[in-house]
Coordinates of all heavy atoms in Angstrom, one line a residue:
S83 N -29.1 -15.1 -15.7 CA -29.4 -13.8 -16.1 C -30.5 -13.2 -15.0 O -31.1 -14.0 -14.2 CB -30.1 -13.8 -17.5 OG -31.5 -14.1 -17.4
M84 N -30.7 -11.9 -15.2 CA -31.7 -11.3 -14.3 C -33.0 -11.0 -15.0 O -33.9 -10.2 -14.8 CB -31.2 -10.0 -13.7 CG -30.1 -10.2 -12.7 SD -30.6 -10.7 -11.0 CE -31.2 -9.1 -10.3
A85 N -33.2 -11.7 -16.2 CA -34.3 -11.4 -17.1 C -35.2 -12.5 -16.9 O -34.9 -13.7 -17.2 CB -33.9 -11.2 -18.5
G86 N -36.4 -12.3 -16.3 CA -37.4 -13.4 -15.9 C -36.8 -14.3 -14.8 O -37.4 -15.4 -14.6
M87 N -35.8 -13.8 -14.1 CA -35.2 -14.7 -13.1 C -34.7 -13.8 -12.0 O -34.4 -12.6 -12.2 CB -34.1 -15.5 -13.6 CG -34.3 -16.6 -14.5 SD -32.9 -17.4 -15.0 CE -33.2 -17.7 -16.8
T88 N -34.6 -14.3 -10.8 CA -33.9 -13.5 -9.7 C -33.2 -14.6 -8.8 O -33.3 -15.8 -9.1 CB -34.8 -12.6 -9.0 OG1 -33.9 -11.8 -8.2 CG2 -35.7 -13.3 -8.0
H89 N -32.4 -14.1 -7.9 CA -31.7 -15.1 -7.1 C -31.4 -14.5 -5.7 O -31.4 -13.3 -5.6 CB -30.5 -15.7 -7.7 CG -29.5 -14.7 -8.3 ND1 -28.6 -14.0 -7.6 CD2 -29.4 -14.2 -9.6 CE1 -28.1 -13.2 -8.3 NE2 -28.4 -13.3 -9.6
E90 N -31.0 -15.3 -4.8 CA -30.8 -14.9 -3.4 C -29.8 -13.8 -3.3 O -30.0 -12.8 -2.6 CB -30.6 -16.1 -2.5 CG -30.6 -15.6 -1.0 CD -30.6 -16.8 -0.1 OE1 -30.6 -18.0 -0.5 OE2 -30.7 -16.5 1.2
P91 N -28.5 -14.1 -3.9 CA -27.5 -13.2 -3.5 C -27.9 -11.8 -4.1 O -27.6 -10.8 -3.4 CB -26.4 -13.7 -4.4 CG -26.6 -15.2 -4.5 CD -28.0 -15.2 -4.6
A92 N -28.5 -11.6 -5.2 CA -28.8 -10.2 -5.8 C -29.9 -9.6 -4.8 O -29.8 -8.4 -4.5 CB -29.2 -10.3 -7.2
A93 N -30.9 -10.4 -4.5 CA -32.1 -9.9 -3.8 C -31.5 -9.4 -2.3 O -31.9 -8.3 -1.9 CB -33.2 -10.8 -3.7
R94 N -30.8 -10.3 -1.7 CA -30.3 -9.9 -0.3 C -29.4 -8.7 -0.5 O -29.4 -7.8 0.4 CB -29.7 -11.0 0.3 CG -30.7 -12.1 0.7 CD -30.1 -13.0 1.8 NE -31.0 -14.1 2.1 CZ -32.2 -14.0 2.9 NH1 -32.5 -12.8 3.3 NH2 -32.9 -15.0 3.0
L95 N -28.5 -8.7 -1.5 CA -27.5 -7.7 -1.6 C -28.3 -6.3 -1.8 O -28.0 -5.3 -1.1 CB -26.6 -7.9 -2.8 CG -25.7 -6.7 -3.1 CD1 -24.8 -6.3 -2.0 CD2 -24.9 -6.9 -4.3
A96 N -29.3 -6.3 -2.7 CA -30.1 -5.1 -2.9 C -30.6 -4.5 -1.6 O -30.5 -3.3 -1.3 CB -31.2 -5.3 -3.9
A97 N -31.2 -5.4 -0.8 CA -31.8 -4.9 0.5 C -30.7 -4.4 1.5 O -30.9 -3.4 2.1 CB -32.5 -6.1 1.2
E98 N -29.5 -5.1 1.5 CA -28.4 -4.7 2.3 C -27.8 -3.4 2.0 O -27.4 -2.6 2.8 CB -27.4 -5.9 2.5 CG -28.0 -7.2 3.4 CD -27.3 -8.4 3.0 OE1 -26.3 -8.4 2.3 OE2 -27.8 -9.5 3.5
L99 N -27.7 -3.3 0.7 CA -27.1 -2.0 0.2 C -28.1 -0.8 0.5 O -27.6 0.2 0.9 CB -26.9 -2.2 -1.4 CG -26.1 -1.1 -2.1 CD1 -24.7 -0.9 -1.5 CD2 -26.0 -1.4 -3.5
V100 N -29.3 -1.0 0.2 CA -30.4 0.1 0.5 C -30.2 0.3 2.0 O -30.3 1.5 2.4 CB -31.7 -0.4 0.1 CG1 -32.8 0.4 0.8 CG2 -31.9 -0.4 -1.4
A101 N -30.0 -0.6 2.8 CA -30.0 -0.3 4.3 C -28.8 0.6 4.8 O -29.0 1.3 5.7 CB -30.0 -1.6 5.0
V102 N -27.8 0.5 4.0 CA -26.6 1.4 4.3 C -26.5 2.6 3.4 O -25.6 3.5 3.7 CB -25.3 0.6 4.3 CG1 -25.3 -0.5 5.4 CG2 -24.9 0.1 3.0
A103 N -27.3 2.7 2.4 CA -27.2 3.8 1.4 C -27.8 5.0 2.0 O -28.6 5.0 3.0 CB -27.9 3.4 0.1
P104 N -27.5 6.3 1.4 CA -28.1 7.5 1.9 C -29.7 7.3 1.8 O -30.1 6.6 0.9 CB -27.6 8.4 0.8 CG -26.3 8.0 0.4 CD -26.5 6.5 0.5
A105 N -30.3 7.9 2.7 CA -31.8 7.8 2.9 C -32.5 8.0 1.6 O -32.1 8.9 0.9 CB -32.3 8.7 4.0
G106 N -33.5 7.2 1.4 CA -34.4 7.4 0.2 C -34.0 6.6 -1.1 O -34.7 6.5 -2.0
L107 N -32.7 6.1 -1.1 CA -32.3 5.3 -2.2 C -32.8 3.9 -1.9 O -32.2 3.2 -1.0 CB -30.8 5.4 -2.4 CG -30.3 6.8 -2.8 CD1 -28.8 6.8 -2.7 CD2 -30.7 7.1 -4.2
T108 N -33.7 3.4 -2.8 CA -34.4 2.1 -2.4 C -34.4 1.1 -3.4 O -34.8 -0.1 -3.2 CB -35.9 2.5 -2.1 OG1 -36.5 3.1 -3.2 CG2 -36.1 3.2 -0.9
R109 N -33.9 1.5 -4.6 CA -33.9 0.6 -5.8 C -32.5 0.4 -6.3 O -31.8 1.4 -6.4 CB -34.8 1.1 -6.9 CG -36.3 1.1 -6.6 CD -36.8 -0.3 -6.9 NE -38.1 -0.4 -6.3 CZ -38.9 -1.5 -6.3 NH1 -38.4 -2.5 -6.9 NH2 -40.0 -1.4 -5.7
V110 N -32.2 -0.8 -6.8 CA -30.8 -1.1 -7.1 C -30.7 -1.8 -8.5 O -31.5 -2.7 -8.8 CB -30.1 -2.0 -6.2 CG1 -28.7 -2.3 -6.5 CG2 -30.2 -1.5 -4.7
F111 N -30.1 -1.0 -9.5 CA -29.8 -1.7 -10.7 C -28.4 -2.1 -10.8 O -27.5 -1.3 -10.7 CB -30.1 -0.7 -11.9 CG -30.3 -1.2 -13.3 CD1 -31.5 -1.5 -13.8 CD2 -29.1 -1.6 -13.9 CE1 -31.6 -2.0 -15.2 CE2 -29.2 -2.2 -15.3 CZ -30.4 -2.4 -15.8
F112 N -28.2 -3.4 -11.2 CA -26.8 -4.0 -11.2 C -26.2 -3.9 -12.5 O -26.9 -4.1 -13.6 CB -26.8 -5.4 -10.7 CG -27.2 -5.6 -9.2 CD1 -28.3 -6.2 -8.9 CD2 -26.4 -5.2 -8.2 CE1 -28.8 -6.4 -7.6 CE2 -26.8 -5.3 -6.9 CZ -27.9 -5.9 -6.6
S113 N -24.9 -3.6 -12.4 CA -24.1 -3.8 -13.7 C -22.7 -4.2 -13.4 O -22.5 -4.8 -12.4 CB -24.1 -2.3 -14.5 OG -23.4 -1.4 -13.8
D114 N -21.8 -3.7 -14.3 CA -20.3 -4.5 -14.1 C -19.2 -3.6 -13.7 O -18.3 -4.1 -13.1 CB -20.0 -4.8 -15.7 CG -21.0 -5.6 -16.4 OD1 -21.9 -6.3 -15.7 OD2 -21.0 -5.6 -17.6
D115 N -19.3 -2.3 -13.8 CA -18.2 -1.5 -13.4 C -18.6 0.0 -13.3 O -19.7 0.2 -13.5 CB -16.9 -1.7 -14.3 CG -17.3 -1.3 -15.8 OD1 -18.1 -0.4 -16.0 OD2 -16.9 -2.1 -16.7
G116 N -17.7 0.7 -12.9 CA -18.0 2.2 -12.6 C -18.6 2.8 -13.8 O -19.6 3.6 -13.8
S117 N -18.0 2.6 -15.0 CA -18.5 3.3 -16.3 C -20.0 2.8 -16.5 O -20.8 3.7 -16.8 CB -17.5 2.9 -17.4 OG -16.3 3.2 -17.2
T118 N -20.2 1.5 -16.3 CA -21.7 1.2 -16.7 C -22.6 1.6 -15.6 O -23.7 2.0 -15.9 CB -21.7 -0.4 -16.8 OG1 -21.3 -1.1 -15.7 CG2 -21.0 -0.9 -18.0
A119 N -22.1 1.8 -14.4 CA -23.0 2.3 -13.3 C -23.4 3.8 -13.7 O -24.5 4.2 -13.5 CB -22.3 2.3 -12.0
V120 N -22.5 4.5 -14.2 CA -22.8 5.9 -14.7 C -23.7 5.9 -15.9 O -24.6 6.6 -16.1 CB -21.4 6.7 -15.0 CG1 -21.7 8.0 -15.6 CG2 -20.6 6.9 -13.6
E121 N -23.3 5.0 -16.9 CA -24.2 4.9 -18.1 C -25.7 4.7 -17.7 O -26.6 5.3 -18.2 CB -23.8 3.8 -19.1 CG -22.4 3.9 -19.6 CD -22.2 5.0 -20.7 OE1 -23.2 5.4 -21.3 OE2 -21.2 5.3 -21.0
V122 N -25.9 3.8 -16.9 CA -27.2 3.5 -16.3 C -27.9 4.6 -15.7 O -29.0 5.0 -16.0 CB -27.1 2.2 -15.3 CG1 -28.5 2.0 -14.7 CG2 -26.7 0.9 -16.1
A123 N -27.2 5.3 -14.8 CA -27.8 6.6 -14.2 C -28.1 7.5 -15.2 O -29.2 8.2 -15.2 CB -26.8 7.2 -13.3
L124 N -27.3 7.8 -16.3 CA -27.6 8.7 -17.3 C -28.9 8.3 -18.0 O -29.7 9.1 -18.3 CB -26.4 8.9 -18.3 CG -25.1 9.5 -17.7 CD1 -23.9 9.4 -18.7 CD2 -25.2 10.9 -17.0

Side-chain angles (χ1 to χ4, degrees):
S83 85
M84 290 282 280
M87 290 179 216
T88 190
H89 50 79
E90 184 171 6
R94 289 204 186 281
L95 171 61
E98 289 160 5
L99 187 57
V100 162
V102 299
L107 295 167
T108 52
R109 288 281 165 179
V110 181
F111 192 102
F112 293 111
S113 64
D114 308 334
D115 53 44
S117 303
T118 55
V120 170
E121 298 286 341
V122 169
L124 297 175

